[in-house]
Amino acid sequence: GAVVSQHPSRVICKSGTSVKIECRSLDFQATTMFWYRQFPKQSLMLMATSNEGSKATYEQGVEKDKFLINHASLTLSTLTVTSAHPEDSSFYICSAGQGGETQYFGPGTRLLVL
Amino acid sequence: DQQVKQNSPSLSVQEGRISILNCDYTNSMFDYFLWYKKYPAEGPTFLISISSIKDKNEDGRFTVFLNKSAKHLSLHIVPSQPGDSAVYFCAASVGGATNKLIFGTGTLLAVQP
C-alpha cells in the first residue's frame, strides 16, 4: 500500500511555544490530507481537512488560529500547534488517500507540552 | 453527537475461534465503511472496507457485513490469532475512502492463546 510519513514521531515542548508536524505522502500525490487527534483511550477525532493550494477546512470546535495547516505541495501538509498548552498534549495523526479503497495513515506524532 | 459507535469497549476470544466486532452508525448519508487495526502510539492500519452497494466483503480471514436497514456493520475474524490483539476501529465516510472519515470509539480485542 501507499506510504505516509510523519515527522517528528514525538516532541516535547514548553508551554507557549509552537510545534510543527509534517505529513508526507511518499509514493503518491495527495490533493487532500486529513489531520486527526487521539487522546488516550479515545477515538480518532478529525481536526481538519488539508487542501493543496487552498485553505484548510476545520471541524467544529477546532481553532484554526491555533492549529495552522499548510498544504504546500501535493506530497506535504504541515500542522503547526501555536502557543501550545498542556491540554494540547495528544497523539496527532495525518492521513491521505489516492482514490482507492482506503486512506493511508501516518505513524502519528506524540506531542507532550510541559 | 457520536455518529459511529462501537458499543463493546473490549472483547476476549480464544485462539482459533471467531471474533465478531460490531459497529453502529446514525448518519444515513454514510456510503463507505472501513475497519482499521491500531496499536498504541501507531497510526491505524487498514484491514477491509465495504461500499454501501454491497452487504458483504471478504479478504482472507476478515469479512465485513453491512446491514443498511439496521445501520449496522460487523467485522468477522476467522480464525482469530494472538497477533490480532489490538484496538479495532470502524470508520464511515460520505463519498468514498478519500473523504473525511468518522471513527467509532474502538474495541480492544484480546485473543487468548
Side-chain angles (χ1 to χ4, degrees):
Chain A
V3 179
V4 175
S5 71
Q6 276 183 246
H7 178 80
S9 59
R10 59 186 302 166
V11 57
I12 301 173
C13 69
K14 292 182 178 180
S15 184
T17 60
S18 294
V19 174
K20 179 185 285 187
I21 303 170
E22 292 186 347
C23 176
R24 293 181 185 272
S25 56
L26 296 185
D27 50 3
F28 67 100
Q29 295 183 330
T31 55
T32 302
M33 292 183 174
F34 301 92
W35 286 96
Y36 296 83
R37 179 169 56 184
Q38 185 185 27
F39 291 107
K41 297 186 179 180
Q42 293 188 22
S43 184
L44 283 79
M45 300 299 295
L46 179 67
M47 298 175 66
T49 302
S50 173
N51 306 297
E52 189 270 336
S54 64
K55 292 182 179 180
T57 305
Y58 291 82
E59 295 299 302
Q60 189 174 9
V62 178
E63 300 175 58
K64 63 179 181 180
D65 294 330
K66 180 169 184 61
F67 299 99
L68 300 178
I69 292 174
N70 184 280
H71 198 142
S73 73
L74 288 171
T75 60
L76 173 64
S77 175
T78 60
L79 168 68
T80 301
V81 183
T82 63
S83 187
H85 291 284
E87 57 265 31
D88 298 324
S89 299
S90 187
F91 191 59
Y92 292 86
I93 313 174
C94 69
S95 72
Q98 56 171 158
E101 61 181 348
T102 184
Q103 290 179 21
Y104 296 96
F105 284 81
T109 297
R110 171 74 62 190
L111 171 63
L112 177 61
V113 184
L114 302 177
Chain B
D1 177 30
Q2 188 70 40
Q3 297 185 65
V4 181
K5 297 179 182 178
Q6 294 174 252
N7 291 319
S8 297
S10 64
L11 175 68
S12 183
V13 172
Q14 284 295 121
E15 180 178 6
R17 299 290 186 104
I18 183 171
S19 295
I20 300 177
L21 299 110
N22 295 303
C23 179
D24 296 293
Y25 61 96
T26 58
N27 189 344
S28 59
M29 297 297 292
F30 289 143
D31 58 6
Y32 198 80
F33 305 89
L34 308 91
W35 283 95
Y36 288 89
K37 175 181 178 181
K38 187 180 183 300
Y39 296 108
E42 293 185 12
T45 300
F46 172 71
L47 290 173
I48 193 168
S49 61
I50 188 167
S51 164
S52 61
I53 62 173
K54 295 184 176 182
D55 54 18
K56 177 183 175 180
N57 190 24
E58 190 173 355
D59 184 0
R61 297 188 296 116
F62 302 94
T63 302
V64 56
F65 296 92
L66 175 63
N67 183 333
K68 284 174 292 187
S69 60
K71 294 189 177 68
H72 176 84
L73 64 154
S74 61
L75 174 67
H76 292 210
I77 306 174
V78 181
S80 301
Q81 300 172 354
D84 295 329
S85 298
V87 177
Y88 287 77
F89 288 97
C90 65
S93 75
V94 177
T98 54
N99 291 337
K100 68 180 185 181
L101 300 179
I102 306 301
F103 279 83
T105 45
T107 297
L108 174 61
L109 173 66
V111 180
Q112 309 296 334

